[in-house]
Amino acid sequence: MTMLQFYRTPFLSPGQGVDLLAKAKSVGLSAIESIETESCFNIQIINALTSSELETLTWLLRETFAPALFGRDSFFASAGTLIEVGPRMNFSTAWSTNSVSICQACGLEKVVRIERSRRYLLRVGTALNE
């Protein structure tokens, strides 16, 4: 089995990002200067996808109104502290079950699992433990 990864940015809206940063600062994490977010789709397949299948999978996962914000590479371009939050790899979520059902209805029989994680890139001015 093979694992593919795709990324979509942002995970949080700009307003939600501002709220998250304010909450972090309110609990004593004032060193955090900014927070960027993205989703990571971890896709388990049993065989390599054809170009047509890959195109269908990409179409299913990206936002139709902003296709440039979806890709094979992370959108985090600069250094910072990366935190990734997602399900355990030994546990299949209901979201994955529904996503796989949609994939199979679209002819993507090779997709056996899709899990989505949330990724946060924290930019800090000083060390977080100070």
Side-chain angles (χ1 to χ4, degrees):
M1 296 216 187
T2 303
M3 186 73 72
L4 302 175
Q5 290 182 311
F6 291 92
Y7 300 88
R8 187 169 62 207
T9 191
F11 173 70
L12 296 177
S13 71
Q16 290 171 318
V18 169
D19 289 346
L20 181 61
L21 182 58
K23 286 179 186 176
K25 290 181 180 285
S26 74
V27 296
L29 299 173
S30 58
I32 299 175
E33 296 174 346
S34 68
I35 301 174
E36 291 182 41
T37 64
E38 70 182 6
S39 296
C40 177
F41 298 95
N42 298 288
I43 302 143
Q44 189 173 15
I45 56 175
I46 54 175
N47 290 313
L49 299 176
T50 66
S51 60
S52 175
E53 290 169 331
L54 191 56
E55 185 178 325
T56 300
L57 180 62
T58 300
W59 179 81
L60 287 171
L61 294 175
R62 76 172 176 244
E63 295 288 343
T64 56
F65 60 86
L69 299 178
F70 177 83
R72 294 292 306 258
D73 298 315
S74 173
F75 289 89
F76 295 155
S78 58
T81 301
L82 177 64
I83 299 171
E84 187 163 356
V85 180
R88 296 177 187 210
M89 292 312 290
N90 61 349
F91 179 78
S92 187
T93 63
W95 188 90
S96 174
T97 302
N98 289 335
S99 297
V100 170
S101 293
I102 292 168
C103 287
Q104 291 180 350
C106 292
L108 297 174
E109 301 293 329
K110 297 174 187 173
V111 175
V112 294
R113 185 172 177 203
I114 300 178
E115 293 294 351
R116 180 180 56 183
S117 60
R118 299 172 306 274
R119 294 166 46 100
Y120 303 89
L121 183 66
L122 310 178
R123 291 210 176 70
V124 296
T126 59
L128 286 175
N129 60 358
E130 290 181 2

